[in-house]
Each structure stands twice: as C-alpha cells, then as structure tokens.
Amino acid sequence: MKDVKVELKDLTKKFKIKKNIVTAFEDISLQIKEGEFWCFVGPSGCGKTTLLRVLAGLETPTDGTIYIKHVDDSKPLNSMVFQEHAIFPWMDVKNNIAYGLKMRKLKPNQIDDIVDFYIDKMGLTPFKHAYPHQLSGGMKQRVSIARAFANDPEILLMDEPFANLDEQNRVLLQQELLKIWEKSGKTVIFVTHSIDEAIFLSDKIMLMTRHPGKIKNIYDINIKRPRIIEEIRSSPQYADIFQDIWLSLRQEVSYS
Amino acid sequence: MNSTNVLKKSNANTNVKSKKDKKLKDEAKSNKFIQQIVSPIAILIIWEILADLKLIDTRFFPAPSMIFHSFINLLTTGILLNDLSVSLFRIIGGFIVGAVPGLIIGLTMGLFPIIRNILDPIVAATYPIPKLALMPLIMIIFGLNDLEKIVVIAIGTFFIVLMNTAAGVINLDKIYMDVARNYGASKKDYYLTVALPGALPMIFTGLKLGMGMALLLIVAAEMNGASSGIGYRIWESYNIFDIPAMFVSFIIMSILGYVFTIILDLIEKLIIPWKHS
C-alpha cells in the first residue's frame, strides 16, 4: 500500500464579491497516494481551478485543511504548469526552464545539467535560446512543463495546460507528458474540462458538481500503462468510463 | 499547422534557402526604398517649379533652392553648428534630468501600492498643467539661462516617462506574479526578474514620447532669453523675416527627431531582444 501524499479535509473556499459571499467549492475531502495521477473534472465555473490555486498556495482556503507530505525539505512543495502565456516573454527557453532552480539558488552548473536534461527530454534542444514569441503554442507548453518538472517538486499541479492547443498538438503533448511522468513517479493533480483527456491521463478522476463545486464522484481508471492513445480510444473500457462520466457530468451542465 | 518542430522566426539559419530568402528580402527592401523616396522628391520638384513660376508666395514658401542656399550660408558661417550644439545640450540635458527621476519614481509607484496611493494625487493634480504655462514661473525662478531651458524640458519629459513606467509595471499580466510566487521568487527576485523586464517595453514607449516632448519644448524654451539654438533661430528668423532660415531650422528639427528615434529604437532592440517586432 502506497503512502498518502496529499490529504484534503473539508476544504472550502469562499470569496467576498461586493456584499455577497460566493462559494467557489466546499467540503472537498480526499486522499491522493504517492505517485498517483489525478484529474479534477467539472463543468466550467465549478471551482476546479480555484481548488488547484488553493493547493498551490496562491489562495488561502476559507475552511478545512491541506496536508501535503514533504519528504525532502530541499525540494519545493509544489510546482504549477499554468495555462498558456505563463512563460516569461523576456527569458529564452533555457532561462524559463531554469527559473525555479535559480530562485532556489542552486549552483549554476547544477542548474545547467538539470535544464539540459529536460530541454532534451521535451524536444526543445533546437530552441534552447529562442524567445517565447518565436515558439508555437505547443512549444510554449513544453517549456512550461519542463519548467515544472525541472523544479523537482513534491507534487505537480497542472491547470488546463493543453486547453488552448489544437487537437493534434494536444494528443502529442498528452503522450509526452505521460512518458516523462511515468519515469518521474511524481504525484500529479491535473485540472481539465475534457473527459477524454482525463481518462487518457489519470489513475483517478474527481468529478465535481456545478457551482459551488463539491465532489460528485471519484472514478478509478484502471487502464494499464503505458497507455497509447489509439488503443485506449478503441477499447470498450474507455467507452464505458466515458459514458459513465458523461452521463453524470451532463446532469450538472444541463442544470445551469 | 505542424508546430512540433517549427521555429516561427529563425535567427541563426545560414543554409541555402535562407540565403535565397535574404536575397528576396533585400530586393523587396530596395523596392520599398525607391517607392518611399519618390514622393518627397516629387514634392520638392513641384515646389521648386511653382516657386519659380511665382504660383506660390515665395515670401512664405521660399523655393527649395533658396532654402538650400540659406542652409549653406548658415553652415559656412558656423551659426548652424553652434545652434545645433547649444540646443542638443539643452535637449539631452533636459531629457536626462527628466527621464531618470521619472523612471525611478514611476517604477516605485508601480511596484509599491503605498507609494502609488501617496503620490497619485500629486501627479494627477500637476500633470494636466500645460508645461508651457509653467515657463514664466520657471524663468523667474532660474533666470534666463541654460538651466531654465533644461528644467522646462525636464518637467515635460518627467511626467511622460513616469506615467508610462508606472503603467508598465501595473498592467503586467497577473499570471507572471503567480508564476514567480509559485516558483519561490522573493520580493526582490520578483522586482528584478519579472516587474522590471516586463515593464521595459512601456518604459521605452515613455522614453520615445518624452524625447518628442523635449523637441517640442525646446522651441518654446528658446523663445525667450536665448541668443542661439535651433528654436532661437526660428524666432530670430521671424523677427528679421528670414523665412528661408526658418525653413532650415524646421528641417533640422525634423532630422533631429528622426535621429533620436533611430537611436532609441537601436537601444530598445539591444535591451529588449525578446519584443515582437
């Protein structure tokens, strides 16, 4: 039995907008085990991105507790892959990927080794010294993913990183993400509105209700790894899970 | 679009294809140059003919040949170069005296909300006063000398640079701050690695506008209490009705503006290589 890596207890986030109190999500309790890949799926506006931002420490929860097991104090607790346009336009690919390591004041030659490793892994070698405006959307997200993995955090958070990519690039990047993740053994929480993406990537899917977001259901995705997109899409198992989740999600979407 | 391995703009390609591209580019460039030079030359020729035929009033619009003659005269007597160096000293002096504090105060206002809240009312109250309206007061305080002219130009430059710099920091996409926080940047790291480089494009916009303001104000500043300078020459030409000399000064101002723009563009390219061009 694997150790618990992340534990959320009755996590709630409320915002005060003018005089009204708006609940983004409430009573989220779950346990994520070491090395698991989780997807949070829900209708838009259900608070899944806010939940991720709370986990990232960018927002404070109104209620409840977050526990993230910090094994190695020299490593950061989490690193986030943001939606597009989150790599710095004024840094080249190399310096963007090195950002977290530089902020943690690692030695320059150590930084170089780590950065070169991920540049190579993400197929970015020809673009090492290119600036973001010279890169396509897919390349930018590769940089964003490399930056997060290079930082070597306890858990990785991903906020719809492929939402703005075209279908072909999305599939390609999903496969590359799985490849790099399988070797790293990292715990990942990935927010998406795509059921398809969630099934392909994850071990577990948390489906959220419409606003204010609560846990609607948690699905185990027991499809063997390594996963290949064409095999998965044509498997009856995939169709069953998709149907299950879609029927449940459709209720939420059609309410609103 | 197959974007897995496509670098949209390649910098360091020296293969055959890019050589061919370069040739095509050069051709397009020289074509563009020819097209662009046609209209000014045509205007000069038409102007000259109209003046020779007395179809325009040459008292107000002297023929290009007369302006050229006046130019040679001002050049050989050394008046032109003297005017130029005197005005350049005032423009550059005023620009630096205004832009440097504008940049520093603009940055601190952008970075620290407390300072912004304290200074905002003062800036908002003083900025709309036309700089020309302040001139008489500045003349009384500083006297009729170089310093007074530098102060007039500095005040004009100061506000433009300040406002653009502050806006550059404030309007930076919030996601960059999230990234910096998430990746463990300290406040100091954030200022140096995100706020400052992120504000650079707006800072340069401010500097360019400030330079335009400096050129505008030099003419007004040299209206009173000056005995040389490009602006002075314009008013002196007015007094003695030497219109060709006035036109020479117009052209010098135009060239000055152009040269300053080119210099600032070059510096911008060096400092902000990542900007979309």
Side-chain angles (χ1 to χ4, degrees):
Chain A
M1 205 61 190
K2 280 179 189 164
D3 288 347
V4 173
K5 186 74 182 178
V6 181
E7 183 162 23
L8 311 181
K9 269 192 188 145
D10 307 320
L11 206 61
T12 299
K13 175 71 184 176
K14 288 175 176 153
F15 287 108
K16 210 173 162 186
I17 297 172
K18 282 174 191 168
K19 278 180 184 166
N20 301 320
I21 290 176
V22 178
T23 307
F25 57 84
E26 57 188 355
D27 299 330
I28 305 284
S29 298
L30 52 83
Q31 282 188 346
I32 296 175
K33 295 206 174 72
E34 180 88 53
E36 279 181 338
F37 199 124
W38 277 65
C39 276
F40 292 176
V41 180
S44 49
C46 74
K48 54 192 189 292
T49 289
T50 311
L51 174 56
L52 200 70
R53 288 176 60 84
V54 168
L55 293 179
L58 294 169
E59 312 261 2
T60 47
T62 315
D63 236 319
T65 54
I66 304 169
Y67 163 76
I68 300 172
K69 192 173 170 195
H70 207 159
V71 181
D72 183 346
D73 276 344
S74 69
K75 289 179 184 177
L77 206 52
N78 74 77
S79 293
M80 185 135 152
V81 179
F82 291 83
Q83 292 184 18
E84 228 189 304
H85 307 304
I87 56 173
F88 300 121
W90 47 89
M91 293 178 197
D92 62 11
V93 166
K94 178 173 171 281
N95 281 310
N96 259 300
I97 297 175
Y99 192 72
L101 304 171
K102 280 186 180 167
M103 293 303 107
R104 282 163 51 205
K105 312 269 185 285
L106 263 68
K107 290 194 191 90
N109 58 340
Q110 229 176 329
I111 294 177
D112 281 349
D113 288 347
I114 298 169
V115 169
D116 283 343
F117 176 79
Y118 283 101
I119 282 180
D120 177 52
K121 204 140 212 186
M122 294 307 291
L124 288 163
T125 311
F127 312 110
K128 192 172 169 184
H129 301 292
Y131 284 101
H133 79 265
Q134 298 168 306
L135 302 176
S136 63
M139 280 298 162
K140 282 183 198 160
Q141 283 313 71
R142 281 188 171 81
V143 175
S144 211
I145 291 168
R147 174 169 71 185
F149 272 98
N151 210 23
D152 196 17
E154 295 282 348
I155 64 169
L156 277 161
L157 306 173
M158 305 197 182
D159 182 17
E160 303 199 41
F162 308 143
N164 293 318
L165 299 181
D166 60 79
E167 174 76 15
Q168 292 143 39
N169 267 297
R170 190 175 327 139
V171 170
L172 233 98
L173 269 148
Q174 284 166 354
Q175 288 189 316
E176 284 177 40
L177 173 62
L178 280 191
K179 235 165 75 190
I180 193 170
W181 166 74
E182 273 159 12
K183 276 185 194 144
S184 75
K186 292 273 177 215
T187 311
V188 178
I189 301 171
F190 187 110
V191 163
T192 177
H193 57 253
S194 159
I195 302 173
D196 180 65
E197 180 167 77
I199 297 172
F200 179 57
L201 294 174
S202 51
D203 297 314
K204 301 242 188 188
I205 294 174
M206 175 183 78
L207 183 66
M208 292 174 79
T209 64
R210 71 186 197 287
H211 168 88
K214 296 185 202 71
I215 298 180
K216 170 132 187 171
N217 215 336
I218 290 175
Y219 299 87
D220 287 304
I221 313 298
N222 294 318
I223 302 174
K224 67 166 176 42
R225 297 184 189 271
R227 295 179 183 174
I228 298 157
I229 190 98
E230 51 273 25
E231 284 177 15
I232 289 188
R233 288 242 174 119
S234 57
S235 74
Q237 206 180 353
Y238 167 86
D240 288 348
I241 300 167
F242 190 96
Q243 174 116 339
D244 249 21
I245 298 176
W246 170 238
L247 290 177
S248 186
L249 181 64
R250 195 174 63 180
Q251 287 178 345
E252 298 304 317
V253 180
S254 50
Y255 273 133
S256 50
Chain B
M1 188 183 72
N2 170 23
S3 51
T4 41
N5 270 311
V6 181
L7 184 56
K8 277 189 197 156
K9 235 167 76 186
S10 157
N11 285 333
N13 260 338
T14 48
N15 57 29
V16 186
K17 193 169 169 276
S18 79
K19 262 186 193 159
K20 214 174 174 182
D21 284 352
K22 198 173 174 288
K23 210 181 156 193
L24 281 173
K25 237 183 178 174
D26 286 347
E27 249 168 53
K29 239 185 189 172
S30 67
N31 278 340
K32 193 181 164 201
F33 180 71
I34 291 165
Q35 286 157 12
Q36 284 179 329
I37 211 164
V38 166
S39 60
I41 287 178
I43 284 178
L44 284 176
I45 292 170
I46 293 167
W47 185 356
E48 183 73 40
I49 293 169
L50 290 177
D52 288 347
L53 296 173
K54 302 281 178 217
L55 286 170
I56 48 170
D57 193 334
T58 49
R59 287 176 305 171
F60 307 137
F61 302 102
S65 56
M66 283 167 76
I67 297 168
F68 184 70
H69 186 77
S70 177
F71 169 74
I72 298 295
N73 185 34
L74 286 169
L75 191 67
T76 47
T77 50
I79 292 174
L80 184 63
L81 289 180
N82 184 49
D83 280 348
L84 199 59
S85 67
V86 166
S87 287
L88 273 180
F89 173 71
R90 290 164 180 164
I91 292 170
I92 294 170
F95 180 74
I96 292 170
V97 171
V100 172
L103 190 81
I104 293 167
I105 297 174
L107 270 180
T108 44
M109 280 177 76
L111 290 174
F112 309 107
I114 302 170
I115 293 178
R116 181 155 75 241
N117 292 340
I118 294 170
L119 294 183
D120 233 7
I122 304 171
V123 174
T126 49
Y127 171 67
I129 303 172
K131 308 308 161 259
L132 296 177
L134 293 171
M135 252 183 65
L137 181 65
I138 296 166
M139 281 157 66
I140 292 170
I141 295 172
F142 294 95
L144 299 172
N145 50 30
D146 274 356
L147 182 62
E148 165 256 324
K149 290 163 187 66
I150 285 174
V151 170
V152 170
I153 292 168
I155 291 177
T157 310
F158 170 78
F159 280 102
I160 293 184
V161 174
L162 180 148
M163 296 205 139
N164 278 282
T165 305
V169 179
I170 295 164
N171 295 333
L172 210 56
D173 199 330
K174 248 191 72 68
I175 201 163
Y176 299 134
M177 190 190 260
D178 287 340
V179 175
R181 277 176 64 196
N182 189 245
Y183 284 81
S186 65
K187 279 222 149 141
K188 192 183 133 216
D189 289 331
Y190 173 72
Y191 300 149
L192 292 177
T193 63
V194 179
L196 184 63
L200 275 178
M202 279 292 276
I203 291 174
F204 263 90
T205 304
L207 291 177
K208 284 179 191 169
L209 291 171
M211 186 45 88
M213 182 61 105
L215 287 172
L216 193 130
L217 288 171
I218 188 72
V219 179
E222 288 180 345
M223 187 176 177
N224 289 299
S227 55
S228 57
I230 308 285
Y232 163 80
R233 194 59 51 201
I234 292 171
W235 294 106
E236 177 66 10
S237 314
Y238 166 77
N239 286 328
I240 61 170
F241 209 70
D242 184 359
I243 307 297
M246 197 186 274
F247 270 86
V248 172
S249 306
F250 293 161
I251 293 162
I252 300 295
M253 295 294 293
S254 157
I255 292 171
L256 270 187
Y258 185 64
V259 169
F260 282 135
T261 306
I262 288 178
I263 292 171
L264 282 172
D265 277 348
L266 269 176
I267 298 173
E268 186 179 23
K269 261 191 195 137
L270 281 176
I271 296 182
I272 322 182
W274 50 271
K275 208 186 150 189
H276 286 261
S277 44

